[in-house]
Structure formats: structure tokens, C-alpha cells
Amino acid sequence: MKRNCITSLLPFLLLFLYGCAAPDGRKDIGSAYHFDAPARIWEEMLPLGNGRIGMMPDGGIERETIVLNEISLWSGGRQDANNPYAYRFLYNIRRLLFEGRNDEAQSLMYETFACKGKGSGQGNGADVPYGSYQMLGKLAFDHTYFNNEQDTVSGYRRELNLDEAMSNVSFRRGETLYTRSMFTSFGGDLGVVHLAADNGALNFTLGISRPERCNVTVEDGDLLMRGQLNNGTDGKGMRYAARVRVVLTGGGSLSASDTAVSVRNAPEAIVFVSMATDYFGNDPDASALSLLEASCGKDISTLKEEHIALYSPQFKKAGLDLGRRAGKDELPIDRRLSAFSEDHDDPGLIALYFQMGRYLLISSTRPGLLPPNLQGLWANTIRTPWNGDYHLNINLQMNHWPAEVTNLPDLHLPLIEWTKRQVASGEQTAKVYYNARGWVTHILGNVWEFTAPGEHPSWGATNTSAAWLCAHLYSHYLYTQDKDYLGEVYPVMKGAALFFADMLVEDPRSGYLVTAPTTSPENAFLFKDKTVSVSAGSTMDNQIVRELFDNTIEAASILAVDTALAGELSAKRARLMPTTIDEDGRIMEWLEPFTEAEPHHRHVSHLYGLYPGNEITVDGTPDLAQAARRTLEARGDKSTGWSMAWKINFWARLHDGEHAYKLLCDLLAPSLVRESGAYRLRGGGTAPNLLCMHPPFQIDGNFGSCAGIAEMLLQSSRGSIELLPAIPEGWKDGSFYGLRTPGGGEVSAVWKDGRLSEVALNATAPYVYRIKLPAGSDEVGIQINQTPASLPVIDGALVISMQAGDSLSLSFKGGA
């Protein structure tokens, strides 16, 4: 270990203890995008959400449609999907795998080792017990423009303001200015639509609908829709209600029919949209009415102020400024994306996209509720793609990659609580299928605690999902240093570790312990004249199990419990096959030298140890890092949206900023191309409204790319804070604030011409930080709590012990 102290006496590192102020970095550069026309397709609509409810308005002139969502609205119900006879066949499945008869093992699993019943319904589970996340309904405004039907519409603008979580529409029709603002209130927990016309010319009829299982009435002047979804058995599933009330200001008249309400000659109207389900045990009718009554007496200024006061502090916890290019912000977002695909010189778009990821996370989950699903909380159908569920072989986890690093740690809590709720069901599954202690879940997850294998073993046999979820439980501890919290989640981690302590079995061919049967998620290999997915162990499994065992051992030590278990886990960890380089120089995906059936497959699961894990690093395991690079080169860049997002993080971890940026540019390529007045689907990329496209829309790519941008700016997974590890040439100047590190540190930085000029670290918990010094850091100014100081340098990193509330400022004279 090389240790020295930064002082002006050191010949190899000269320090000037000049005063340095913490970089503010909090420029109010604004985060918004706009269209110059109403939405023609759902992927042009603007996503609004408050973590429980969502609205997506299309901004139509004659008819405006707003898609309504409530995050808990699922069909299906709880079921016992465990096959009670599965364990009887486990021995023979393993025997076949160890005899090199993978195809026969897979066939036997199809007969004996899948879930009972219809599983996810092949991704169409709306009418089976597994269920589907569903749209609540659609609100429709039919506008009438009296006396000026032929007037020209001009000045149309439809904007999503991320700073305020609000959409705004404005246009003129003839001489009349029409404005509409909408938000899903963080204050009142209901949707608010404010409409105004500057000459009392508001005239519209308002209705609400749903494709099935609904009853629409008008009660006491309120528009009311209620219904009950299908549970897949007796039809008596989740109940829901939506209640809509119109309040006029300054005149006009309000009338109602049996199923609609109408406004005539009003200058201003506020429409309150209240939604609720009985998922958490509440009466949806009573809940919807109560929320509505609490807000409908307030004026629009108060409603907006309450909403922004609760939303804005979260959003402003972190920010990024990469500079702006003249004229780019003024482009409608669909044209801006098209222009970016031709000319990447639009750093403001990157910063906007980063903040879009944070906005979507804030909007699609909140403590006490559910984590964001495959589409966050936005869906426009009752048959959401892949059921809009919780895919557990990367997608749900990727949804939470930005939570800690981009300073939204509380938004990790819904996932943590959801994980806890899987344990009881997962314990039954572990016993029935593997006769193991602890708990397990496979690839499929929903709101009904489904933990059995999926209906197709080729993808449904993946069994490390609980272990991956536990990585998130421990990550939250690492970032918060909350020991009481660790004590609460430790039993969940312990249960997942116990499962693998029992489930791991020796492969007689190698002597290694393996997870058998398993898969490398959704990928397959060539086997004789067939394509097979089931194997005895996989590289990803080993990486995840090693991480789980390490985290559980470390947590047990911190809590001073389970010494014997820690020893057992350590011994079994040592018997796992290490991540191995194949003869072609790539990381092996399976524990045998199989050839992948699809060389450019979207999953790159065998690089879990590179990201989000940390067993593969440029400095610590250079040979594995080089093999990971070759693996990525062979896999290729362009893929589904979320896959490209993952690859941004991979290349950032490899310190290749140019390649990470290339992936980011590929991801921002328009997924929908407009030709002859209609959209053509091009492939993975970005929708006109900045939502990520698999395709179809899948929100994990938004979250994964947000985390990837942060990873290009700041890395801290291996115990040292590394600043600007992977910035591309195009980000010469910039600043960020509010990015977080393990230990609870909040980091801000400013750089010019690619070199650091200022860094600030604010501690939120007691912790010892290591800050890797950039090359050429000959003159560094240091202040601790605004007082000049010196610090030790150990192996090229500043080391400082900080308490909650302490601040550290570094200033690099002339850049670093």
C-alpha cells in the first residue's frame, strides 16, 4: 500500500492550500420538451404520474383523450401455482444434465418442472389467475367551438415540464387563446385538468370509458365509473372506481346526462379525476370520493403550489448540465430526436434524457405503494404487453438502477417491500420444487406473489431472481448506512442464501457446485441438432450467488449474527466455478463451452459481474475486463431498447466513454419513423415522447440509460469514488450535482475541457471515503467544512473520514 499525505512538501505531488468553494452546479437550465401538434399515437402522448396514478393526455383540439392509470389495477388473483410433484423429478433432471443430455432434461422439465396452470398466459394473462396490469380507462373531452368552426388553429404547443411534473397545451383558434394544464397531484393524490379560454368560450362534453368490465353513471353531478376485473377463476377480482368532478370558475353552465357532463360558455374549468382500487383493502368508491372532496374546494393556484411543493424537492436533488446548442431546445421533440440521429451535437438532449429517467421514476412509484412495472404505471390497454408485470431476470431490477445513484433512495423502498412480500410464497416454492430451505422466485412476478417457475422452462427456469432482488436490499444499506434497516432486511437475504446453500449440487464432471437446473436468461445454445436452454449452472448464476453470499456474510458480520451460516456460505462460495474466459477470448456464458444460438442476443447475462455487479473491473481483473470487452464486441451494439441501456453501463464500467456514448446515441435513435403521414416501427430506440421502446414501450430502458449516464460521470462500486471515468469527447465542459455514492455521500463536480476543476462531497452518514485522484492532480486545494486542510493519499486516492453534515471541497488548479 502506498501512503502519503498531500502537503506542499511532497516532491511528487504539490498541493496549494488555497480556498476553494464547493461547486454549486445547480443551474436552473430547465427540463422540458414539447410538440407542435396533438398526439397522433400513444407514443406521442405525455406521461404524468405521482407514483400511484397516471394520466397520458394527447392534447387533441376537437377531442382530447386522457389515458388513466392506477398502479395497483391488476386482473388475476392469488393462487397456488406450485406443482406438488415437481421435486420427485429433480433428481432425474439433474442426472440427465450431468450425463450431457440437456435436451432430454429440458423435455422432462416441460412435463414436470413448470408451474401449475397457465402461468403468465404466454404473456397474455388478463383472463387467467396470473393476471395483467391494465389501463383504468379513458377520459374524453369533446370540444365545441361555437361561431368560429372554420377559424384557423395557430401557435399550437404541447409541453411536458419535468421541473413541475405538469403538461401544458396552448393554441389559438381564431382570436381565442385556449390553454390547458394537467398534473397528477402529489399534494391531493388525484388528477387535475385546468382548462381556460380568454373570452368565455369553453364548451365541451366529458365522458369516461373502458373496453370492458365497467359501469358509467352520473351521481350528484359527478361522472362515475366503477367495475370489477376478472380474477381468472370466478370473475370476482379487483374492484376499482374513478370519480370525475367539474368545477367552473367565473361563469358558464354545467349539465349532465346519464353518462356524461357538459360545460357551456365557461371561461375556466377545473376537472378533478380521482381513482382508486381495493388492492390495499380500501373501499374504492369511498377512497375516490374522499380524495376528490379534499381538493375540489381549492383554486388552481393552490392546487399547483401544493403539487409542486411536494414534487420539486425530489426532482431537484440531482442535476446535469452538459451545455446547450443554439436552437436545439426550440425544436419539437420528435424533430429534435430526428436531428440528433443525424448530428449528435446536442448535449442538452442528453441532460434532458437523464432527467427524464429521474422524472419517470418519481412519477411511477412512491413509498408505501408498488414498484414500477414493465411500463412504469402507464398502460393504454387491458392486455398490456407481457402483462405489464415484474420480469425478474433484469427488467424490474433495471427499473431501480437510478434510485440510489441519482439521489432518489426512497424510491427503492417499494421494491424492497415488494420483495419482502414474496418470501412466504417463495418459501413454499423452494420446498415444493427443490426441498430447500429459504425462499426462491423465478422469472415471473406480479402483485399476487407468484414465485413458481414460468410455464416454459426454456425461460421460466431461471432461479436466481430472489438473489438479484437481495442485491437491491443490500445496496440500499450501503448507500444509507442504516443499520436498523439492515436488521429488517437481513432475514430476507438470509432466506435467499439458505435456498442456494441447499439447492447447489455438485456436478460430478467438474466437482464444482452448480445451480441445476437453470438457464442463462432467455438465451439458448446449440446442442447436437437442437436449440436448448436448460443447463447445469450458468456464469450469471455463479456471479449472482457469489454476490449474495458475500453480501449476506458481510451483513451477518455487521449485525453480529449467524457466524456458522457465514462459514457455510463461505465454504460453498469457494466451490463455485469462477468467471472463466473461453478459448475465443470471451467470457463463457455457460459452465460448458456451448455455442449460443443467437450470437447477438439481447441479454448479456454473463456480464452481470461487470454491471450491476462489480467482480469484473478494469483495474482489479484486467484479463476479465478485456474478455468482457470482446464479449460485448461479439454481441453487438444495436438491440432492444433496454439491452442498449444495459450496454451503456457495461462500456462505462470498462472506462470507454466513446463506446458508452455511441450506445446512448443508438438508444436515442427514433424507434418510430414517420413516412407518408404514418409511423413505421424501426426497432429498439426511443419513442417521440422520450419513452424507451423495446419495442413496444418498456420503461426499463429509460431507467437503465439514466443510470448509465450517471455511471459515465461517477463510479463508486468498488469502494473508491472515481470522477468522470467515462466521459466522451463531446462532453468537454459540464457539471453535475447530487449524485450519490455508497456511504451516503452526495457528489457535485465541474469540469472544463475534459478536466476536473471543482468537486464537492457532502456526507449524510458517518463513512470513510476514498476519492481517486485524476492523473495530473499536481495542485489540489482542499477544504473540510470550509476550512483549508490536508489529507492522506493511499494508493492514489484521498482518504477522509466524515460525519453526517461534513463537507469536503476540492479545487484542481488549472484542471486535473
Side-chain angles (χ1 to χ4, degrees):
M1 176 178 291
K2 185 177 180 180
R3 178 185 176 96
N4 49 61
C5 192
I6 296 186
T7 70
S8 58
L9 301 177
L10 294 174
F12 51 85
L13 184 59
L14 180 64
L15 170 73
F16 291 92
L17 295 179
Y18 52 84
C20 58
D24 185 19
R26 298 176 185 258
K27 298 179 183 178
D28 186 15
I29 58 176
S31 297
Y33 66 82
H34 71 278
F35 291 89
D36 61 0
R40 293 155 289 199
I41 57 175
W42 189 54
E43 291 83 0
E44 288 186 332
M45 296 167 76
L46 302 177
L48 300 168
N50 70 355
R52 186 182 72 85
I53 62 171
M55 301 197 306
M56 287 188 75
D58 66 6
I61 296 172
E62 307 292 339
R63 164 173 270 224
E64 174 153 36
T65 300
I66 303 174
V67 179
L68 305 177
N69 294 110
E70 208 277 358
I71 196 169
S72 66
L73 188 64
W74 269 74
S75 63
R78 289 178 175 83
Q79 61 171 316
D80 179 5
N82 293 321
N83 175 3
Y85 307 108
Y87 179 65
R88 298 181 186 180
F89 300 92
L90 180 60
Y91 174 83
N92 279 332
I93 292 168
R94 287 173 167 171
R95 177 181 59 80
L96 291 169
L97 289 172
F98 297 152
E99 291 175 359
R101 297 157 66 185
N102 296 59
D103 53 342
E104 296 176 53
Q106 181 166 299
S107 295
L108 182 57
M109 289 183 69
Y110 268 90
E111 298 172 4
T112 65
F113 215 75
C115 60
K116 184 173 65 178
K118 296 183 178 180
S120 69
Q122 309 297 319
N124 186 20
D127 294 316
V128 301
Y130 184 83
S132 175
Y133 180 65
Q134 300 193 4
M135 169 187 71
L136 187 140
K138 293 182 179 180
L139 200 62
F141 292 78
D142 287 306
H143 294 276
T144 304
Y145 300 92
F146 291 117
N147 301 323
N148 62 347
E149 294 288 348
Q150 305 303 315
D151 284 346
T152 301
V153 173
S154 62
Y156 185 95
R157 183 182 177 94
R158 181 168 59 95
E159 178 188 76
L160 180 63
N161 184 325
L162 306 186
D163 296 303
E164 298 181 345
M166 191 175 302
S167 72
N168 299 290
V169 174
S170 63
F171 61 90
R172 287 191 178 274
R173 186 161 184 145
E175 298 299 318
T176 304
L177 175 65
Y178 293 89
T179 60
R180 306 171 195 161
S181 60
M182 304 182 198
F183 53 97
T184 45
S185 176
F186 280 75
D189 201 15
L190 79 175
V192 178
V193 182
H194 177 240
L195 306 95
D198 63 5
N199 64 357
L202 280 180
N203 294 276
F204 62 84
T205 297
L206 179 62
I208 192 169
S209 64
R210 194 174 193 276
E212 65 175 26
R213 294 180 173 268
C214 68
N215 180 48
V216 178
T217 59
V218 174
E219 297 181 10
D220 299 324
D222 293 345
L223 190 60
L224 181 62
M225 181 175 71
R226 54 167 68 94
Q228 187 169 27
L229 302 191
N230 186 6
N231 62 359
T233 53
D234 62 7
K236 298 178 181 179
M238 188 180 298
R239 294 187 301 119
Y240 70 89
R243 196 174 192 108
V244 183
R245 181 175 298 177
V246 180
V247 176
L248 302 182
T249 302
S253 64
L254 183 65
S255 62
S257 66
D258 291 341
T259 58
V261 295
S262 297
V263 169
R264 293 291 178 264
N265 301 319
E268 185 177 359
I270 304 175
V271 180
F272 297 90
V273 187
S274 185
M275 297 170 264
T277 77
D278 66 355
Y279 177 71
F280 290 105
N282 301 321
D283 178 346
D285 287 297
S287 295
L289 178 60
S290 175
L291 290 169
L292 195 151
E293 294 285 1
S295 289
C296 68
K298 300 175 182 178
D299 61 30
I300 190 62
S301 295
T302 300
L303 292 165
K304 287 182 177 180
E305 288 172 3
E306 291 177 349
H307 162 69
I308 293 171
L310 288 175
Y311 164 79
S312 184
Q314 290 190 77
F315 185 71
K316 291 184 177 179
K317 284 182 177 179
L320 172 63
D321 180 10
L322 296 173
R324 299 289 178 98
R325 297 295 182 265
K328 298 290 188 179
D329 290 353
E330 287 70 42
L331 287 174
I333 189 62
D334 51 342
R335 288 175 20 213
R336 189 174 185 181
L337 286 170
S338 295
F340 185 79
S341 67
E342 301 295 329
D343 177 7
H344 298 329
D345 187 23
D346 186 1
L349 179 62
I350 303 299
L352 173 66
Y353 191 61
F354 169 78
Q355 288 292 48
M356 181 69 174
R358 299 182 66 252
Y359 164 82
L360 291 171
L361 188 57
I362 297 169
S363 300
S364 60
T365 190
R366 72 173 190 237
L369 296 178
L370 291 165
N373 59 49
L374 281 172
Q375 296 193 176
L377 55 63
W378 297 278
N380 68 336
T381 176
I382 59 173
R383 300 185 184 277
T384 308
W386 298 290
N387 298 315
D389 71 1
Y390 298 125
H391 268 42
L392 303 178
N393 60 1
I394 187 172
N395 311 96
L396 178 60
Q397 294 90 336
M398 184 183 284
N399 284 0
H400 296 81
W401 286 355
E404 300 295 341
V405 68
T406 73
N407 216 339
L408 299 170
D410 287 350
L411 302 187
H412 227 156
L413 299 178
L415 174 68
I416 292 165
E417 293 303 315
W418 182 88
T419 301
K420 291 178 182 178
R421 290 196 294 272
Q422 310 312 302
V423 172
S425 174
E427 288 174 339
Q428 296 176 30
T429 300
K431 188 68 176 176
V432 169
Y433 284 84
Y434 306 95
N435 194 30
R437 297 172 293 170
W439 72 285
V440 64
T441 189
H442 295 78
I443 181 178
L444 298 173
N446 60 12
V447 299
W448 308 119
E449 290 86 53
F450 186 99
T451 57
E455 60 266 31
H456 275 276
S458 63
W459 49 262
T462 299
N463 52 44
T464 47
S465 297
W468 193 339
L469 290 167
C470 285
H472 284 260
L473 270 59
Y474 197 60
S475 174
H476 188 65
Y477 164 73
L478 292 177
Y479 276 84
T480 63
Q481 297 295 297
D482 185 339
K483 194 173 178 179
D484 291 337
Y485 158 80
L486 182 62
E488 293 173 7
V489 299
Y490 175 74
V492 182
M493 298 171 59
K494 176 181 175 180
L498 283 172
F499 169 76
F500 285 104
D502 286 359
M503 185 266 193
L504 287 169
V505 60
E506 181 178 314
D507 185 336
R509 298 169 297 177
S510 66
Y512 287 120
L513 296 180
V514 297
T515 51
T518 192
T519 68
S520 184
E522 300 186 38
N523 204 1
F525 50 87
L526 301 178
F527 188 83
K528 301 176 182 176
D529 59 345
K530 302 176 183 178
T531 298
V532 177
S533 298
V534 174
S535 62
S538 71
T539 295
M540 181 186 193
D541 280 10
N542 283 4
Q543 292 171 349
I544 291 178
V545 172
R546 272 194 292 271
E547 180 183 61
L548 171 67
F549 284 1
D550 287 346
N551 291 346
T552 305
I553 291 167
E554 188 171 290
S557 176
I558 293 168
L559 297 170
V561 297
D562 290 332
T563 303
L565 174 63
E568 178 185 0
L569 299 181
S570 179
K572 293 196 171 184
R573 183 199 189 284
R575 297 190 59 194
L576 297 171
M577 178 174 165
T579 299
T580 302
I581 302 173
D582 206 346
E583 291 180 357
D584 61 6
R586 294 184 291 159
I587 301 289
M588 290 178 62
E589 184 163 357
W590 296 272
L591 307 190
E592 301 173 67
F594 295 133
T595 299
E596 63 266 56
E598 187 180 343
H600 302 300
H601 196 271
R602 60 194 175 276
H603 284 263
V604 197
S605 303
H606 43 318
L607 296 192
Y608 177 95
L610 178 62
Y611 188 95
N614 56 29
E615 76 168 44
I616 301 174
T617 65
V618 171
D619 296 331
T621 59
D623 291 342
L624 287 176
Q626 180 60 29
R629 175 182 289 272
R630 291 182 180 176
T631 301
L632 289 169
E633 290 169 347
R635 213 51 147 205
D637 290 341
K638 291 189 177 182
S639 186
T640 61
W642 66 262
S643 178
M644 290 189 284
W646 196 3
K647 292 170 184 174
I648 295 168
N649 289 274
F650 286 145
W651 285 106
R653 282 282 172 93
L654 292 173
H655 293 183
D656 192 330
E658 296 304 326
H659 209 134
Y661 183 60
K662 177 190 178 300
L663 262 300
L664 182 55
C665 294
D666 289 344
L667 180 59
L668 281 167
S671 179
L672 294 156
V673 180
R674 195 161 178 81
E675 295 177 349
S676 302
Y679 275 114
R680 175 180 62 83
L681 190 61
R682 185 191 62 85
T686 297
N689 59 5
L690 289 187
L691 294 180
C692 184
M693 297 288 284
H694 179 286
F697 160 48
Q698 199 169 293
I699 203 167
D700 42 15
N702 287 102
F703 297 137
S705 55
C706 177
I709 294 169
E711 199 73 18
M712 295 167 74
L713 300 168
L714 174 74
Q715 293 181 21
S716 55
S717 65
R718 295 283 292 183
S720 294
I721 297 172
E722 191 169 3
L723 293 146
L724 309 184
I727 61 167
E729 182 69 20
W731 298 0
K732 286 185 176 295
D733 303 319
S735 66
F736 67 79
Y737 70 89
L739 297 187
R740 294 175 74 243
T741 73
E746 295 185 356
V747 180
S748 303
V750 178
W751 68 97
K752 298 176 182 178
D753 200 24
R755 298 168 67 86
L756 277 172
S757 57
E758 300 173 49
V759 175
L761 171 65
N762 296 314
T764 62
Y767 198 72
V768 176
Y769 296 94
R770 299 182 74 255
I771 304 169
K772 188 174 180 180
L773 290 170
S777 305
D778 294 338
E779 301 179 7
V780 184
I782 300 175
Q783 286 192 355
I784 300 174
N785 298 328
Q786 301 183 350
T787 300
S790 62
L791 289 172
V793 177
I794 301 175
D795 294 336
L798 290 174
V799 179
I800 179 172
S801 177
M802 302 178 73
Q803 300 297 314
D806 284 351
S807 65
L808 169 70
S809 300
L810 305 177
S811 211
F812 298 87
K813 192 171 184 180

